[in-house]
Structure formats: structure tokens, C-alpha cells
Amino acid sequence: QVQLVESGGGLVQAGDSLRLSCAASGRTFSSYAMGWFRQAPGKEREFVAAINWSGGGTAYAQSLKGRFTISRDNAKNTVYLQMNSLKPEDTAVYNCAASRFVSDRVRSYDYWGQGTQVTVSS
């Protein structure tokens, strides 16, 4: 069982940066791949980024590559999402999730956090 708690969201202006954090409970955090997803009002949840158990392998949504960076610190049981050059269309609830393998599919993830709101004003 893994419990996930996101933090770091907020209201920012276009062009600003934010770093989201996802703290995990449980001793098995380092055995899970971790992902970030987001869901804007009226839209389906979409994949943002994922990272393997060691941090040596990552995957990104093509449209976000270059602006967003995922990383993890297994000693702190935490995964991060650094978001740069934010745009109004990045406004969404951002969730982290845990999976046995790196995937861009929602159904691959077994555990989910409650989410943190990111709002980007123009």
C-alpha cells in the first residue's frame, strides 16, 4: 500500500515556474515507477510525465517535453515535477500516481494522490 500526498500547487502568472512535490508513505516507494497526470475542467485526465524506480528513465507527454521535468529522491520518498514557462493551458489539477512500471496510461497506476491545483493566469 502506498499513500501519496501532493503539494506545491498555486496561482501563478504565465511564464512563471512551479515545483510540485509528491510525498509517499511506505517502505516500498523505491520499487514503484511514479507518474504525474493532470485534469483540466471539462477534460479527460492526461499524462504529463513518468519516472522509473531508480530515476534513470523518464517519459514525457510530447507537448510538454522541454518545459516540465520529473525527478525523484528515494531517500525522501518524494517525486517532483518542475514546471517552467507555465501557460494558462497548464491550469489543471495535478495528481501523482504509483505504478509497477513506467506508463502513460491512467489504468496502469495503482495508487493516486488527491491532487494539487495549479492555476496559471494570463
Side-chain angles (χ1 to χ4, degrees):
Q1 188 82 6
V2 178
Q3 293 183 329
L4 305 172
V5 179
E6 302 93 337
S7 62
L11 173 64
V12 297
Q13 293 186 335
D16 286 350
S17 297
L18 271 179
R19 188 177 79 158
L20 305 183
S21 299
C22 172
S25 64
R27 295 178 294 175
T28 59
F29 171 75
S30 61
S31 67
Y32 285 90
M34 298 296 296
W36 284 98
F37 291 78
R38 68 184 185 183
Q39 187 167 21
K43 296 187 177 181
E44 292 187 354
R45 182 171 286 175
E46 66 171 347
F47 171 73
V48 174
I51 189 166
N52 72 349
W53 67 273
S54 68
T58 58
Y60 293 92
Q62 189 64 34
S63 62
L64 300 177
K65 194 176 293 186
R67 289 197 301 124
F68 289 17
T69 303
I70 189 171
S71 62
R72 68 190 295 163
D73 185 338
N74 286 342
K76 295 182 178 180
N77 279 13
T78 302
V79 62
Y80 305 98
L81 183 68
Q82 177 68 43
M83 306 185 294
N84 298 328
S85 302
L86 283 162
K87 305 175 181 180
E89 51 264 42
D90 294 319
T91 294
V93 174
Y94 285 72
N95 295 89
C96 67
S99 171
R100 288 296 182 182
F101 52 92
V102 173
S103 174
D104 62 358
R105 298 186 177 186
V106 171
R107 63 186 181 188
S108 297
Y109 288 80
D110 302 312
Y111 303 102
W112 291 81
Q114 292 298 309
T116 185
Q117 176 71 47
V118 173
T119 304
V120 184
S121 64
S122 57

